[in-house]
Amino acid sequence: MNMRVIGIAAAAAAALAVSAWAAEDWKPGLLRDTWSAQEVSTIASMRLKEAGQRPADASNAYEQRPDAAAFGQALFNDTRLSKNGLVACVSCHDARNQFEDGRQFGKGIATGKRRTMPVMGASHSPFLFWDGRKDSAWSQALGPFEDAAEHGGNRTRLVKLVLAQYQKPYRQVFGTVPELGELPDDASPNGTQAERAAWAALAPATRNSVNRVFANMGKAIAAYERRISYGESRFDQYAQATASGDGPGQDALTGQEVRGLRLFLTKGQCVTCHSGPLLTDHAFHNTGVPPIDPANPDRGRVEGLKKLLGDEFNCLGPYSDAKPEQCGELQYLRADEPAQLAAFRTPSLRNVAARPPYMHAGQFATLDEVVQHYAASPKAVIGRSELAQPGEKHTHRQTIRLSADDVKDLTAFMGTLTGPVNQPR
Amino acid sequence: MLRNQPLEYLVTTFAIRIQPSVQKELAAADAAEARGHFATSFQHLERAHVLGQAATTEHVRVHWRMLRFALRNSLHGQACGQLWRLPAASVFTPLGLVPHGNTGGADVSGFRRLPVPNDLKQALDAARVGCTPALGHISLRKLTISAALAALATLIAGCVTQPKDLDLALDKKSASNVYRVALVPPAQAPAINQMHSWKVKLATSDGMPVHGASFVVDGGMPQHGHGLPTEPRVTRELEVGTYALDGMKFSMTGWWEVKLTIQGPQGADQVTFNTIVNNPAVRTASVP
């Protein structure tokens, strides 16, 4: 028995030495930090340039046009498009501050229930908002106008104001200005009871014309937002150096940051969702982030899906410029998954260190707390967390185990993802 | 330096696919033991052994659980039997030297082959679909590395890397040999997150194109535990036996499974394809 144990131990030690030699074999030699071929491929796929040209949005025929973008920029900054004359898109999406507001909850006419999302990267995402209730940037831009906590506007008032104040640019971009006749001041399918009644009293053709102008406001804003994008970060320099075998170029990151990247790709499991050039899979996940009000938790994607499918401004709706076969995301939407209860959109990690607080309701003030959350992987209050809870035997996932140093390294790595924000002047 | 590389040698497709079934038996064993049903509990451990014994990590894990069961319940003979089976499992499993169907307890010889119950056989067959046989042409170096690291494997946390024996054939027989199925990817590799279409070619096992079949499409990333990001469908038959598979999208690089459940004139069957999604721009530039 003893001899057998010693024999096995000796064989194991010898083989360890052999495999150490085998691993050494792999080293390309020139690089400061060595990665497996698979890791190099993953790191290379995370370079910003892999995002390429932003995909054209078939549902918005105007988004490439500079005149539409200029019109959209004016609308984006116009506080008259609100109930109290003080709120514009830019109020929460501050061009000097990562196109968001740094607050836990968005604050327009009143205080919202979720964290403001940045504008950069929006045109790459098939779904917008934390719950993905919109499927295009133009359709997304319409939501806040009629939200009581944001602009607090209503459809006829907004449309009348835009046609009165922006007749020339509207005509230039969209051709004709529709004859709307006498419109009530306040009418909307989403407003107060009185506004909804006034909306219902309108002739269908009038409602359609108002909706058309409203949709065009969104399309102009989307044309502007499309020109707002992330710039390259230190991480991109490192990834480029690593992919092209440039050892000195790897000095773009410190040893600690590289350790963080390694954890990001391995036992931190971050890359499972934060993949690709924008460091998001553009999908929805429940990771057990604690709801603000546990008695009345945010149901996330489940509600977003219902709104998306019922939205007259979606890709298949009458105001979209896309043919039905161009609406693949809606046609092949995965709509029935129980995992979508309390699931939220994976946010991009680009510039993440520059925009606390974090999560869909700004639950965490620092990146450190965010990583701690994943290290703890708590049970979800609503729905089911995809993460394996400590001690749980999960069929597919391993528990995320991170030491205090690991948390620091991961946070340091996320700091390398910050680059400039490109925007039209 | 030891990170990652050796794991690739250890983890087979089979190991990843069988893990949930083994886990189910282990959980059932826990539940039975908690209710005081010791005999039932050990039966579940035995079933877990039959399922997991061809995968090193699972095999070692089951023996470890049997040892702990024996110690908890003062079964000294069983504990001794498990003591030698543990290191043996870690050394011999990677070599493919395991007695098929053996239930793993000290009450049966550790070298005896036993018949496999039908339901477990199904689970095993399902996990083996698309795997090449365990002992094909494994080099000596791989063997040494895997044997040495077998015991360590359970300790190494992190992502599972791609199995080495992954069957990437896109033209194969369906699971019960009813059909011959081929997946035809788009001519130009799609970008990550780009919606695209494949073609499915369906034929009888002797090669006659099959008209009028219907399909259910499923799949995902076994290593990351998520499904396909979209719900792809076979939308139409382009010509006899060739079907359009629309709504395909891969949200990241790596190993993806595409599973088709086929309903056709010859009956129902299923097939699982493996595909590696690469970043086309990167493939040539980075790999030394």
Side-chain angles (χ1 to χ4, degrees):
Chain A
M1 185 79 190
N2 260 345
M3 282 306 286
R4 185 183 274 150
V5 171
I6 291 166
I8 289 168
L16 264 173
V18 170
S19 47
W21 163 79
E24 199 71 41
D25 221 5
W26 197 278
K27 206 182 218 171
L30 287 168
L31 291 178
R32 184 192 73 177
D33 312 316
T34 56
W35 299 93
S36 72
Q38 202 181 335
E39 286 166 331
V40 171
S41 166
T42 307
I43 292 169
S45 74
M46 289 157 68
R47 290 173 297 181
L48 184 59
K49 66 177 184 185
E50 293 293 325
Q53 274 293 313
R54 268 145 287 169
D57 175 4
S59 72
N60 182 357
Y62 307 94
E63 72 160 353
Q64 312 282 351
R65 289 177 49 172
D67 52 356
F71 179 27
Q73 185 166 9
L75 294 176
F76 192 89
N77 290 291
D78 192 337
T79 54
R80 290 172 301 183
L81 298 171
S82 67
K83 189 176 183 179
N84 63 2
L86 297 171
V87 179
C89 305
V90 75
S91 309
C92 294
H93 301 283
D94 186 347
R96 295 158 307 178
N97 184 24
Q98 302 290 323
F99 280 91
E100 48 99 70
D101 55 6
R103 295 171 185 274
Q104 181 174 11
F105 302 112
K107 192 169 180 302
I109 298 288
T111 300
K113 291 196 165 68
R114 293 198 184 129
R115 172 85 174 97
T116 303
M117 299 191 100
V119 172
M120 298 82 77
S123 51
H124 284 281
S125 181
F127 301 108
L128 285 304
F129 286 122
W130 283 104
D131 58 7
R133 63 184 181 271
K134 292 289 191 175
D135 64 349
S136 66
W138 67 267
S139 178
Q140 185 281 329
L142 302 177
F145 281 123
E146 293 188 309
D147 187 313
E150 299 186 52
H151 297 243
N154 67 73
R155 209 163 291 180
T156 53
R157 188 173 283 268
L158 288 161
V159 162
K160 276 162 62 166
L161 193 135
V162 166
L163 291 185
Q165 302 295 332
Y166 293 98
Q167 203 176 68
K168 209 175 133 205
Y170 187 93
R171 195 188 303 280
Q172 191 193 329
V173 177
F174 298 106
T176 50
V177 176
E179 275 307 319
L180 293 172
E182 271 300 294
L183 277 184
D185 279 342
D186 301 293
S188 162
N190 300 319
T192 62
Q193 208 172 356
E195 285 166 2
R196 289 205 302 273
W199 180 258
L202 291 175
T206 311
R207 291 204 295 256
N208 183 44
S209 299
V210 172
N211 282 344
R212 175 73 58 191
V213 177
F214 191 50
N216 285 343
M217 288 167 57
K219 289 178 185 178
I221 292 172
Y224 163 60
E225 289 180 339
R226 190 183 158 75
R227 286 156 173 78
I228 301 164
S229 63
Y230 290 113
E232 292 202 341
S233 65
R234 264 196 307 128
F235 164 73
D236 294 298
Q237 296 168 24
Y238 180 86
Q240 179 58 30
T242 304
S244 58
D246 162 20
Q250 287 188 320
D251 288 341
L253 298 196
T254 67
Q256 184 186 29
E257 289 160 348
V258 171
R259 277 198 301 282
L261 171 57
R262 240 178 244 288
L263 292 163
F264 191 91
L265 301 181
T266 56
K267 66 181 190 170
Q269 300 175 32
C270 315
V271 77
T272 296
C273 298
H274 294 285
S275 57
L278 291 172
L279 302 154
T280 168
D281 59 357
H282 301 294
F284 301 83
H285 303 278
N286 181 338
T287 57
V289 175
I292 294 299
D293 177 5
N296 185 23
D298 192 332
R299 294 166 54 82
R301 181 60 170 159
V302 159
E303 298 303 312
L305 274 170
K306 289 183 201 159
K307 290 176 185 160
L308 171 69
L309 293 171
D311 184 10
E312 59 193 327
F313 298 112
N314 71 22
C315 187
L316 290 167
Y319 309 101
S320 159
D321 302 316
K323 299 189 198 90
E325 62 268 26
Q326 291 174 304
C327 302
E329 293 291 349
L330 275 187
Q331 303 267 22
Y332 303 101
L333 184 68
R334 187 161 284 277
D336 59 343
E337 269 189 303
Q340 287 165 342
L341 177 58
F344 295 90
R345 186 152 78 92
T346 309
S348 168
L349 293 186
R350 293 228 160 243
N351 292 13
V352 67
R355 48 163 202 272
Y358 303 103
M359 305 306 192
H360 62 272
Q363 281 93 336
F364 302 130
T366 62
L367 283 175
D368 215 65
E369 284 176 52
V370 175
V371 181
Q372 295 282 4
H373 167 78
Y374 287 103
S377 296
K379 230 167 135 5
V381 170
I382 173 171
R384 198 169 183 289
S385 170
E386 290 176 24
L387 309 177
Q389 269 104 64
E392 184 199 22
K393 294 289 181 203
H394 200 284
T395 47
H396 288 298
R397 292 269 171 87
Q398 285 174 306
T399 309
I400 299 173
R401 289 196 187 85
L402 298 171
S403 68
D405 282 342
D406 291 345
V407 173
K408 283 195 199 115
D409 294 347
L410 270 168
T411 309
F413 165 66
M414 283 190 274
T416 71
L417 298 169
T418 305
V421 173
N422 303 322
Q423 54 178 306
R425 291 291 156 192
Chain B
M1 215 167 293
L2 281 174
R3 311 179 47 270
N4 296 316
Q5 248 56 62
L7 261 181
E8 286 185 28
Y9 297 117
L10 287 175
V11 182
T12 59
T13 328
F14 173 80
I16 292 165
R17 291 222 185 97
I18 201 68
Q19 201 260 349
S21 310
V22 175
Q23 189 55 47
K24 222 161 92 187
E25 292 298 335
L26 293 180
D30 282 342
E33 195 178 344
R35 288 194 306 273
H37 299 170
F38 297 106
T40 318
S41 176
F42 199 77
Q43 278 166 15
H44 282 296
L45 292 180
E46 289 177 341
R47 286 166 59 83
H49 183 268
V50 173
L51 288 170
Q53 65 168 348
T56 310
T57 315
E58 301 306 315
H59 195 184
V60 172
R61 191 148 71 106
V62 171
H63 281 297
W64 173 244
R65 293 285 298 263
M66 285 181 160
L67 173 64
R68 281 168 52 205
F69 180 93
L71 293 176
R72 269 199 305 277
N73 297 299
S74 305
L75 307 168
H76 303 298
Q78 182 67 261
C80 284
Q82 293 307 325
L83 270 179
W84 76 261
R85 280 175 174 83
L86 255 175
S90 66
V91 172
F92 292 109
T93 317
L95 309 179
L97 301 174
V98 289
H100 186 66
N102 191 286
T103 47
D107 53 327
V108 293
S109 159
F111 304 102
R112 199 168 139 204
R113 295 168 71 93
L114 291 169
V116 177
N118 257 341
D119 59 328
L120 298 187
K121 214 168 160 187
Q122 277 177 11
L124 285 168
D125 287 346
R128 284 208 182 97
V129 170
C131 297
T132 46
L135 255 185
H137 34 77
I138 303 177
S139 74
L140 185 64
R141 193 168 97 180
K142 280 185 194 174
L143 278 182
T144 342
I145 292 171
S146 53
L149 282 137
L152 291 177
T154 44
L155 302 174
I156 300 173
C159 297
V160 189
T161 52
Q162 218 158 277
K164 278 287 175 193
D165 62 345
L166 200 61
D167 172 13
L168 294 171
L170 289 180
D171 185 344
K172 57 168 83 166
K173 291 270 173 68
S174 56
S176 309
N177 281 325
V178 179
Y179 299 106
R180 179 158 199 97
V181 199
L183 268 191
V184 185
Q188 198 176 4
I192 298 301
N193 269 319
Q194 184 191 337
M195 194 79 72
H196 63 278
S197 301
W198 293 54
K199 282 180 196 160
V200 182
K201 290 194 167 172
L202 186 68
T204 58
S205 52
D206 47 6
M208 290 296 293
V210 174
H211 165 71
S214 64
F215 300 82
V216 176
V217 188
D218 196 7
M221 297 195 90
Q223 295 160 308
H224 292 278
H226 61 72
L228 296 173
T230 54
E231 210 162 77
R233 283 192 304 272
V234 170
T235 51
R236 60 200 186 278
E237 190 168 350
L238 300 165
E239 55 187 276
V240 174
T242 302
Y243 301 80
L245 171 56
D246 291 330
M248 291 290 289
K249 187 167 101 167
F250 298 115
S251 50
M252 63 186 286
T253 54
W255 167 33
W256 289 81
E257 281 184 333
V258 180
K259 302 177 187 179
L260 300 177
T261 306
I262 306 154
Q263 188 73 55
Q266 280 73 22
D269 205 353
Q270 50 191 23
V271 61
T272 300
F273 294 98
N274 300 298
T275 180
I276 304 291
V277 176
N278 283 311
N279 217 311
V282 171
R283 206 184 295 149
T284 47
S286 64
V287 181

